[in-house]
Amino acid sequence: MTDDRSNLMKDIVSKVPAVTLGFWIIKILATTLGETGGDTVTMTWLGETTSEANPNGYLIGTALFGVLLVVLVAVQIRARRFNAWLYWATIVASTTCGTTLADFADRSLGIGYTGGSALLLACVLASLGAWYATTGSIRVETVATPKTEAFYWLTITFSQTLGTALGDWAADDGGLGFGGGALLFGAALAVLAALYYWTKVSRVFLFWTAFILTRPLGATVGDLFDKPHDKGGLDVSRPVASLILFAVIVGLILILPQRPGQHPAAEAEA
C-alpha cells in the first residue's frame, strides 16, 4: 500500500517548477531574452526596421519561433517528469514568439499597441476561462496532465504576447520611455509581492497577474538595452545582449534549486 501511494504521488507531481524567488528571477531574464532574441531575428537579421526593410520580417520571425514553440510544447507534454531545461527552453520560445507575434500584430497588421493589448488581454482571459470551465482549476500546481498542460502553454503564449504589447504601449503610446516603463512594471510587481506577503488576496490571481507583468518588464528592459540612442535605448548589440542573457539563465538553472511544484492531490495523499 505504501509503495502504491508513493507511485501515485510521483505520477501526479506537477510538470512545472515550484513558484519560488528563483523561478521569478529566471522568468524575468527569460522574458528579457525573448525581447532581445526576437528583435535579433526580425530587426537585425531580417531587417524589418532597416532602410532595406523586409516587409515580412515579423511574419517570418513569428513562423520560425512558432514552429519551435509548438515542437517544444509537444515534447514537454509527452515528457513523463518535470525537466528544468526543457521547461525553460519552452518558456524562452514562448517569450520570443510572443515578441515577434506582438510586433506583427501591432505594426504589420496596423492595429497599434492599444488595439493589440486589448485583443491579447481578451485572448488570455478566454484561455483562462476555458481552462477553468474544463478542469475546474487554473492553479499551476495542477499542471500534470496533457489537457492541463495544453491550456497552460496556450495561456502562457497569450500572456507573453500581451506582455510585449503592454511594454511597447507603456514605452511609446504611454510616453514613459523604456526606462520609465521598466520602473512602472517593476513597481507593479512590488505591489503584487506586498499583496502576497501581507494580504489574503487569491494566490492564483496574484500568480497570473505577476506572470503577465513580468513580460512587459522584460520587454522594456530588453528594449532599453538594444534600442538605438535616438529611441531612448543604450544601443547594445542585440545578439551580444541575447548571448549574455542566455549564459546568465543557464548559470542560474545550474545554481538555483529546480524542483517541480507539488500537485494538490499529492499533498492530500501525503
Side-chain angles (χ1 to χ4, degrees):
M1 179 67 70
T2 301
D3 290 341
D4 290 342
R5 176 178 294 182
S6 177
N7 290 334
L8 174 61
M9 289 175 64
K10 290 180 180 178
D11 287 341
I12 57 179
V13 165
S14 177
K15 288 171 63 179
V16 301
V19 181
T20 62
L21 178 59
F23 170 88
W24 290 115
I25 292 173
I26 298 176
K27 169 61 168 62
I28 292 172
L29 291 171
T31 62
T32 309
L33 174 57
E35 187 71 19
T36 60
D39 287 349
T40 295
V41 172
T42 60
M43 297 181 183
T44 302
W45 293 345
L46 295 176
E48 178 69 47
T49 57
T50 65
S51 58
E52 299 178 355
N54 180 347
N56 297 314
Y58 293 130
L59 180 59
I60 295 172
T62 299
L64 291 173
F65 291 118
V67 169
L68 176 62
L69 176 60
V70 169
V71 170
L72 287 173
V73 167
V75 175
Q76 172 78 17
I77 290 176
R78 288 179 61 86
R80 295 180 60 84
R81 295 288 184 268
F82 167 69
N83 182 304
W85 297 106
L86 176 59
Y87 176 83
W88 287 113
T90 311
I91 286 290
V92 170
S94 72
T95 64
T96 313
C97 183
T99 295
T100 56
L101 181 57
D103 287 341
F104 174 72
D106 297 340
R107 299 168 186 172
S108 297
L109 296 183
I111 62 177
Y113 300 134
T114 302
S117 298
L119 174 62
L120 291 163
L121 176 59
C123 290
V124 171
L125 295 177
S127 179
L128 288 171
W131 181 358
Y132 185 82
T134 303
T135 67
S137 175
I138 55 174
R139 290 179 59 184
V140 294
E141 294 87 355
T142 65
V143 180
T145 66
K147 181 184 294 185
T148 55
E149 278 193 276
F151 278 117
Y152 176 79
W153 288 111
L154 179 64
T155 304
I156 278 181
T157 300
F158 282 141
S159 72
Q160 307 282 33
T161 311
L162 168 63
T164 300
L166 282 175
D168 289 340
W169 174 83
D172 294 335
D173 291 357
L176 296 176
F178 303 122
L183 289 175
L184 171 66
F185 294 114
L189 287 170
V191 170
L192 292 178
L195 291 174
Y196 177 84
Y197 285 109
W198 295 314
T199 74
K200 295 183 179 180
V201 174
S202 167
R203 275 22 185 179
V204 175
F205 169 79
L206 291 177
F207 172 84
W208 283 111
T209 304
F211 200 96
I212 291 171
L213 289 179
T214 53
R215 183 65 186 97
L217 174 61
T220 51
V221 171
D223 283 338
L224 179 64
F225 279 122
D226 65 30
K227 288 296 187 288
H229 295 299
D230 60 358
K231 293 186 177 180
L234 300 177
D235 203 16
V236 177
S237 166
R238 295 183 184 109
V240 170
S242 299
L243 287 174
I244 292 173
L245 287 165
F246 175 79
V248 173
I249 290 171
V250 169
L252 288 176
I253 293 174
L254 290 171
I255 295 171
L256 297 178
Q258 297 289 310
R259 59 182 177 82
Q262 191 72 17
H263 192 287
E267 294 173 358
E269 288 288 333

